[in-house]
């Protein structure tokens, strides 16, 4: 009971701090999606290119990014320029850390997205394109009127998975001290605003993740359901 | 003048010569059935007519006009090729309906996109589509999606869809091969009606259904090893085959292979 009353007392301070951290989490999440969704398409086209050297290079790159931990990528991207060239290209302070984290997340997620896109594009049966061709449709018309929606239907479920994963992956940016919600929660462990040695704020951050990923699950599920009217 | 003239079409895939000089002509309103075992080149021939394969040699003329000439190296613009391929319609073995569209939209989509003025033509296009769908017996399925239809129904929609572009020559590539035996009848009936409804439609049918072939064909081509081994009326080819290979093929007596 003593503990509960202590938590109740500390709650307003912690809640405000966590909200600020969560805002940074949301920002990273949104910027990553905005960047990775189009960049992933570019990478997908690159990896499917008939130009052998191009597709080989792109696939090698995708393999490196998908095959190594995002945490390492964050560290390398943030510290490497400063250590080797002696200047931190990302800029100082929190905005510098955010730029570096956003860059790492966008590149990392674009590679994952590109593989999903590739599966979606290659999954449309050749017969769909041929049917459009024999009906005299142009390549543009075939893409926009016939194959695009079938690709979207194919990629929505795996994309939903990745997007939910991204919600939680943003916490990895703690490793370069980005002031997102995990950072905000762990501050009360070391001591901040008169509160020290408290671990419950860190535990409490999970509630934010649960709520946010829950909302996203519902929204993405609705989108999936919208495309349920036809089968492929 | 023949509606279709195929002159010495050749096609190879790597080392394999799939078509080794195919020539034949068709008159308007004629129904040509092509038979032959798998790998004899029937499907490749049909796909060549529809510009889905580019033959290595030969010419194709429709109404006396050259629509394809392998010697003519100049590349056609996409637009020109689209216009030329519209002489032919194609019904695929696997139907290839557009899954995200209703039956009606499947039939109206291509004519709508091709119409010079999309708004003005819409009513006319939809009326034609409804007529065609009625003709294949699916008026009660206008709003259904392909996944809600049986294979036979899907294939009938595919036939209506092909007819909507008013092709000079309608091609069927093994239209019943992907169907349950119980469903082949309805599709074959529709094709037979197209022959007898007085519109004088020119059709090429690749099929393994010998009884159907005999009933619907004005002329039968038997293909083997990339050449036309034998050609004639159904009575000639089925009744008194001249070629040893034709006899062997027919006496193997299998419907599905």
């Amino acid at each position: 009971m003593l503990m509960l009353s202590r938590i109740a007392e500390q709650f307003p301070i912690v809640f405000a701090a966590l909200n600020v951290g969560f805002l940074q989490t949301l920002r990273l999440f949104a910027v990553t999606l905005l960047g990775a969704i189009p960049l992933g398409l570019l990478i997908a086209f690159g990896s499917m290119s008939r130009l052998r050297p191009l597709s080989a290079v792109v696939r090698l790159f995708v393999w490196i990014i998908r095959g190594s931990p995002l945490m390492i990528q964050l560290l390398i991207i943030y510290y490497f320029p400063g250590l080797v060239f002696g200047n931190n290209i990302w800029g100082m302070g929190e905005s510098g850390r955010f730029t570096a984290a956003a860059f790492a997340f966008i590149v990392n997620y674009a590679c994952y997205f590109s593989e999903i896109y590739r599966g979606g594009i290659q999954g449309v049966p050749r017969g769909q394109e041929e049917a459009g061709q024999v009906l005299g449709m142009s390549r543009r018309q075939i893409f926009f009127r016939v194959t695009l929606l079938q690709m979207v239907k194919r990629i929505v479920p795996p994309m939903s998975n990745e997007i939910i994963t991204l919600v939680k992956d943003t916490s990895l940016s703690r490793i370069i001290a980005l002031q997102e919600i995990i950072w905000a929660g762990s501050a009360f462990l070391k001591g901040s605003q008169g509160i020290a040695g408290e671990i419950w704020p860190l535990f409490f951050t999970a509630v934010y993740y649960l709520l946010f990923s829950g909302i996203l699950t519902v929204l993405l599920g609705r989108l999936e359901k919208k495309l349920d009217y036809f089968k492929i | 003048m023949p509606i279709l003239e195929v002159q010495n079409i050749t096609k190879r895939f790597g080392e394999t010569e799939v078509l080794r000089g195919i020539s034949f002509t068709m008159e308007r309103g004629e129904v040509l059935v092509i038979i032959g075992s798998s790998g004899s080149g029937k499907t490749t021939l049909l796909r060549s007519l529809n510009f889905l394969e580019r033959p290595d040699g030969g010419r194709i003329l429709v109404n006396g006009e050259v629509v394809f000439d392998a010697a003519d190296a100049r590349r056609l613009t996409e637009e020109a090729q689209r216009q030329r391929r519209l002489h032919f319609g194609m019904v695929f073995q696997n139907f290839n309906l557009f899954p995200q569209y209703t039956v009606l939209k499947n039939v109206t989509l291509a004519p709508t996109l091709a119409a010079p003025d999309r708004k003005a033509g819409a009513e006319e296009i939809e009326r034609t589509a409804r007529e065609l769908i009625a003709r294949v017996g699916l008026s009660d399925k206008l709003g259904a999606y392909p996944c809600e239809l049986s294979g036979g129904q899907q294939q009938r929609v595919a036939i209506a869809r092909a007819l909507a572009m008013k092709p000079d020559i309608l091609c069927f590539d093994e239209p019943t091969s992907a169907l349950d035996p119980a469903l082949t009848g309805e599709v074959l009936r529709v094709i037979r009606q197209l022959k007898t409804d007085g519109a004088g439609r020119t059709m090429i049918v690749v099929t393994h259904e010998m009884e159907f072939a005999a009933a619907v064909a004005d002329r039968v081509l038997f293909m083997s090893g990339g050449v036309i081994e034998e050609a004639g009326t159904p009575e000639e080819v089925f009744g008194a085959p001249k070629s040893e290979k034709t006899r062997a093929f027919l006496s193997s007596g299998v419907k599905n292979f």
Side-chain angles (χ1 to χ4, degrees):
Chain A
M1 280 329 278
L2 202 73
M3 190 184 85
L4 275 184
S5 69
R6 201 182 70 233
I7 289 176
E9 202 179 298
Q10 296 167 340
F11 192 81
I13 298 172
V14 170
F15 185 61
L18 291 187
N19 283 348
V20 172
F22 188 60
L23 212 63
Q24 190 72 313
T25 296
L26 282 181
R27 244 184 247 131
L28 182 58
F29 172 83
V31 167
T32 301
L33 281 188
L34 277 176
I37 285 174
L39 181 63
L41 198 59
L42 225 61
I43 295 174
F45 286 140
S47 71
M48 288 186 295
S49 168
R50 270 179 222 156
L51 222 71
R52 278 287 169 76
L54 176 64
S55 73
V57 167
V58 172
R59 280 175 199 224
L60 178 72
F61 180 72
V62 170
W63 171 69
I64 290 171
I65 296 293
R66 296 207 319 159
S68 62
L70 176 52
M71 189 184 276
I72 307 287
Q73 293 165 19
L74 273 161
L75 288 170
I76 292 176
I77 284 171
Y78 186 56
Y79 290 113
F80 192 78
L83 286 176
V84 175
F85 308 115
N87 88 30
N88 179 0
I89 57 167
W90 305 111
M92 298 307 288
E94 178 69 0
S95 79
R97 288 190 290 269
F98 184 82
T99 312
F103 181 84
F105 270 85
I106 287 172
V107 170
N108 183 277
Y109 269 80
C111 285
Y112 279 96
F113 289 172
S114 78
E115 289 295 289
I116 294 175
Y117 294 151
R118 198 155 68 93
I121 291 167
Q122 292 176 341
V124 177
R126 183 109 185 79
Q128 289 292 308
E129 198 183 329
E130 290 183 350
Q133 283 174 348
V134 298
L135 290 166
M137 291 162 67
S138 68
R139 294 179 65 159
R140 226 186 124 76
Q141 288 168 342
I142 292 170
F143 179 75
F144 285 107
R145 304 302 186 113
V146 177
T147 43
L148 180 61
L149 193 64
Q150 297 179 40
M151 290 173 197
V152 170
K153 186 178 166 78
R154 275 195 170 76
I155 67 172
V156 164
M159 284 293 275
S160 301
N161 277 335
E162 287 298 324
I163 289 169
I164 302 291
T165 305
L166 173 60
V167 173
K168 296 161 289 170
D169 270 4
T170 52
S171 63
L172 288 169
S173 58
R174 169 73 186 86
I175 199 73
I176 59 168
L178 185 78
Q179 295 169 13
E180 43 70 73
I181 188 167
I182 298 282
W183 179 89
S186 56
F188 296 105
L189 215 52
K190 283 182 280 180
S192 167
Q193 302 180 65
I195 301 169
E198 288 290 358
I199 196 150
W200 76 265
L202 197 50
F203 292 172
F204 190 72
T205 60
V207 174
Y208 286 80
Y209 288 107
L210 281 173
L211 281 177
F212 187 45
S213 60
I215 291 167
L216 283 175
T217 305
V218 170
L219 290 178
L220 292 166
R222 265 190 214 162
L223 178 61
E224 213 171 303
K225 200 145 204 176
K226 262 208 164 132
L227 293 168
D228 251 3
Y229 69 91
F230 72 93
K231 288 199 185 68
I232 41 178
Chain B
M1 181 174 42
I3 189 168
L4 173 66
E5 212 173 331
V6 174
Q7 298 175 346
N8 205 26
I9 290 289
T10 57
K11 173 75 186 173
R12 55 164 63 236
F13 292 119
E15 291 292 288
T16 333
E17 267 189 294
V18 186
L19 299 177
R20 299 189 296 168
I22 300 285
S23 302
F24 64 91
T25 61
M26 283 181 78
E27 298 300 325
R28 182 172 293 279
E30 196 180 3
V31 176
L32 178 70
V33 170
I34 305 178
I35 58 172
S37 49
S38 301
S40 59
K42 314 176 299 275
T43 293
T44 306
L45 174 61
L46 222 51
R47 289 173 60 83
S48 297
L49 293 177
N50 280 280
F51 294 79
L52 293 174
E53 306 287 353
R54 184 192 287 259
D56 301 318
R59 300 204 306 169
I60 299 169
L61 291 80
V62 175
N63 293 320
E65 177 209 350
V66 179
V67 295
F68 174 82
D69 188 345
D72 191 3
R74 92 193 147 88
R75 280 185 59 100
L76 289 171
T77 62
E78 202 203 331
E79 177 61 29
Q81 179 164 332
R82 272 162 61 200
Q83 286 309 317
R84 289 170 180 214
R85 79 185 330 151
L86 283 177
H87 289 295
F88 297 91
M90 179 78 153
V91 174
F92 296 90
Q93 185 176 343
N94 297 316
F95 334 133
N96 293 338
L97 291 182
F98 305 132
Q100 71 266 44
Y101 295 128
T102 61
V103 166
L104 183 62
K105 187 82 192 281
N106 259 281
V107 179
T108 55
L109 180 66
T112 307
L113 293 174
D117 179 351
R118 278 185 203 172
K119 280 225 173 92
E123 228 170 275
E124 168 75 20
I125 286 168
E126 185 171 329
R127 190 150 39 82
T128 312
R130 283 172 184 275
E131 280 170 24
L132 290 170
I133 294 165
R135 189 140 11 124
V136 299
L138 290 171
S139 289
D140 55 333
K141 299 286 186 191
L142 284 170
Y145 288 91
C147 62
E148 300 165 333
L149 302 178
S150 72
Q153 290 170 330
Q154 288 190 52
Q155 191 60 299
R156 284 145 66 193
V157 176
I159 293 170
R161 181 176 70 171
L163 287 171
M165 293 308 285
K166 305 187 173 74
D168 293 311
I169 299 147
L170 184 54
C171 303
F172 296 82
D173 183 15
E174 303 189 22
T176 59
S177 292
L179 296 176
D180 284 347
L183 300 175
T184 59
E186 58 187 88
V187 172
L188 297 180
R189 237 184 335 272
V190 166
I191 299 174
R192 206 170 305 172
Q193 271 167 22
L194 291 179
K195 177 188 162 88
T196 53
D197 69 0
R201 235 173 250 101
T202 314
M203 298 192 279
I204 304 177
V205 187
V206 167
T207 185
H208 291 307
E209 301 278 343
M210 293 306 151
E211 270 173 49
F212 168 73
V216 80
D218 295 310
R219 209 146 48 92
V220 177
L221 294 186
F222 170 64
M223 281 181 69
S224 175
V227 296
I228 296 175
E229 181 71 22
E230 184 158 356
T233 63
E235 293 76 25
E236 287 166 355
V237 175
F238 291 117
K242 292 194 211 66
S243 153
E244 192 57 50
K245 283 183 185 161
T246 318
R247 246 171 285 158
F249 173 76
L250 292 174
S251 68
S252 65
V254 204
K255 275 172 97 180
N256 300 305
F257 55 90

